[in-house]
């Protein structure tokens, strides 16, 4: 298959690298130092799943230089999706599939405004970091992509894309309800990101303290309430399983939103905690904990955007 990887960060480079090593025609849409490094030195991955160095990597700065592909894997930050979506048109033909991998639950609908009928729901699971331009270290978690039609229907394009991912050594999951799967991840990532960003400590600290652990639980309860109001049937068991998953993570872990805000970089605040607040308002649900987190973190986010 022909893939365009939009977003040459740790996530996009890892999955794109595995697909290229698996024999697929992969082109990275990149810029700046990453584009130069990909063209000059190729792509380097270090991983418990096996290290990889691809000396010959396709990388372009403009979608027009790539042309139509079979699948677009969108791995930019969630807040970048609305601004990048219109520029993707040269990549999209009558049989192209767009697969967003962002944290949050809004990316598919943002893409559908520009590409009706061409968008799947998706999410990824991986802990990785870019240690240098075009150099990625996979730190943990089984690299997984979940995908599905937004209406829950079975389709050949989902089966074909899942087969390509599996063949490249990437675990492909095709849940019956991809929107529910996205909300399950959102139930974890939004509260953990918000609490981590406001406390500025690793998750091993805030999950142990009674005061902050209660905030995590209350934040998750609010996300469940919003999901249910929007027709996503998250159960109480799902909340408890999410807390248990949090307890099983390495204590030094932090969320990318937390790291970005602490470093003064633009973050996914609007797509995570901000999304909880926005969607709650649409659904008529009170979310006082998430509203408090959002209001407290918003000044740092706006300052980072002014300076970027």
């Amino acid at each position: 298959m022909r893939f365009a990887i939009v977003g040459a960060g740790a996530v996009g480079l890892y999955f794109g690298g595995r697909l290229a090593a698996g024999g697929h025609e992969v082109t990275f849409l990149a810029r700046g130092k990453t584009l130069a490094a990909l063209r000059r030195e190729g792509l380097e991955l270090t991983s418990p799943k096996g290290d990889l160095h691809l000396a010959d990597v396709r990388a372009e700065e403009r979608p027009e230089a790539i042309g139509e592909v079979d699948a677009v894997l969108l791995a930019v930050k969630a807040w970048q999706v609305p601004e990048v979506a219109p520029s993707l048109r040269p990549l999209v033909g009558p049989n192209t599939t767009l697969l967003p991998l962002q944290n949050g639950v809004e990316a598919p609908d943002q893409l559908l405004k520009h590409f009706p009928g061409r968008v799947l729901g998706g999410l990824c699971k991986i802990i990785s970091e870019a240690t240098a331009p075009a150099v990625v270290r996979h730190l943990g978690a089984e690299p997984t992509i979940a995908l599905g039609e937004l209406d829950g229907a079975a389709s050949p394009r989902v089966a074909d894309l899942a087969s390509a991912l599996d063949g490249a050594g990437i675990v492909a999951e095709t849940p019956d309800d991809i929107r529910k799967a996205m909300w399950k991840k959102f139930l974890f990532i939004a509260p953990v990101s918000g609490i981590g960003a406001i406390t500025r400590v690793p998750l091993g600290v805030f999950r142990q303290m009674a005061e902050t652990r209660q905030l995590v639980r209350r934040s998750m309860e609010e996300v469940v309430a919003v999901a249910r109001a929007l027709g996503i049937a998250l159960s109480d068991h799902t909340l408890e399983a999410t807390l248990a998953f949090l307890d099983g993570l390495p204590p030094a872990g932090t969320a990318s939103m937390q790291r970005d805000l602490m470093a003064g970089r633009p973050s996914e605040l609007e797509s995570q905690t901000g999304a909880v607040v926005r969607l709650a308002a649409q659904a008529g649900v009170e979310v006082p904990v998430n509203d408090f987190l959002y209001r407290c973190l918003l000044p740092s986010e706006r300052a980072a955007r002014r300076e970027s």
Side-chain angles (χ1 to χ4, degrees):
M1 293 181 71
R2 294 170 298 155
F3 287 88
I5 309 298
V6 179
V11 171
L13 289 174
Y14 181 88
F15 289 120
R18 292 299 185 196
L19 286 165
H24 296 280
E25 182 181 318
V26 175
T27 306
F28 295 94
L29 189 65
R31 60 185 179 180
K33 293 181 179 179
T34 301
L35 176 62
L38 286 169
R39 288 175 168 176
R40 183 180 61 249
E41 301 162 7
L43 172 59
E44 181 178 342
L45 304 178
T46 59
S47 169
K49 305 291 291 183
D51 296 346
L52 176 65
H53 179 246
L54 298 175
D56 184 16
V57 175
R58 294 184 178 94
E60 298 290 348
E61 189 172 13
R62 298 180 301 108
E64 293 85 351
I66 301 174
E68 294 180 4
V69 295
D70 298 312
V72 178
L73 266 59
L74 198 64
V76 297
K77 293 287 189 178
W79 58 270
Q80 296 174 307
V81 173
E83 65 185 51
V84 79
S87 71
L88 303 180
R89 194 160 300 281
L91 303 173
V92 182
N95 297 310
T96 302
T97 299
L98 289 92
L99 178 61
L101 300 178
Q102 283 66 40
N103 291 322
V105 293
E106 298 173 301
D109 294 312
Q110 291 166 345
L111 290 170
L112 281 170
K113 294 177 182 178
H114 301 274
F115 306 105
R118 305 259 52 87
V119 183
L120 300 178
L123 61 91
C124 67
K125 303 171 188 176
I126 188 172
I127 302 173
S128 60
E129 62 178 358
T131 57
V135 179
V136 173
R137 180 169 62 166
H138 167 214
L139 300 168
E142 181 72 27
T144 301
I145 290 178
L147 64 155
E149 297 288 351
L150 292 166
D151 62 2
S155 74
R157 64 178 179 174
V158 169
D160 290 345
L161 190 48
S163 178
L165 294 168
D166 276 328
I170 301 165
V171 175
E173 297 177 348
T174 55
D176 293 336
D177 188 339
I178 189 63
R179 287 194 184 273
K180 184 175 181 179
M182 292 169 63
W183 271 90
K184 284 182 177 180
K185 182 178 179 181
F186 192 51
L187 174 61
F188 167 79
I189 197 65
V192 168
S193 295
I195 300 297
I198 203 167
T199 61
R200 295 181 170 244
V201 296
L203 59 85
V205 177
F206 68 70
R207 73 187 179 194
Q208 284 188 317
M209 292 183 58
E211 296 86 351
T212 47
R213 186 177 183 87
Q214 182 63 16
L215 278 180
V216 174
R217 174 179 282 276
R218 288 175 59 191
S219 177
M220 288 184 178
E221 288 171 346
E222 291 177 1
V223 175
V224 169
V226 174
R228 290 172 175 172
L230 295 174
I232 308 296
L234 296 186
S235 67
D236 292 338
H237 172 74
T238 301
L239 190 152
E240 297 303 329
T242 303
L243 282 170
F245 176 73
L246 172 62
D247 287 336
L249 292 174
T254 55
S256 61
M257 188 183 101
Q258 174 183 351
R259 296 193 297 272
D260 285 340
L261 283 171
M262 291 177 65
R265 298 187 295 262
S267 78
E268 292 186 331
L269 176 66
E270 291 291 349
S271 304
Q272 295 189 34
T273 311
V276 177
V277 174
R278 281 195 310 277
L279 294 171
Q282 293 175 20
V285 175
E286 296 291 328
V287 288
V289 172
N290 284 283
D291 186 66
F292 172 78
L293 295 173
Y294 177 65
R295 290 171 185 267
C296 288
L297 294 170
L298 191 56
S300 296
E301 176 67 21
R302 289 184 175 171
R305 291 185 182 275
R306 283 196 300 268
E307 295 171 8
S308 64

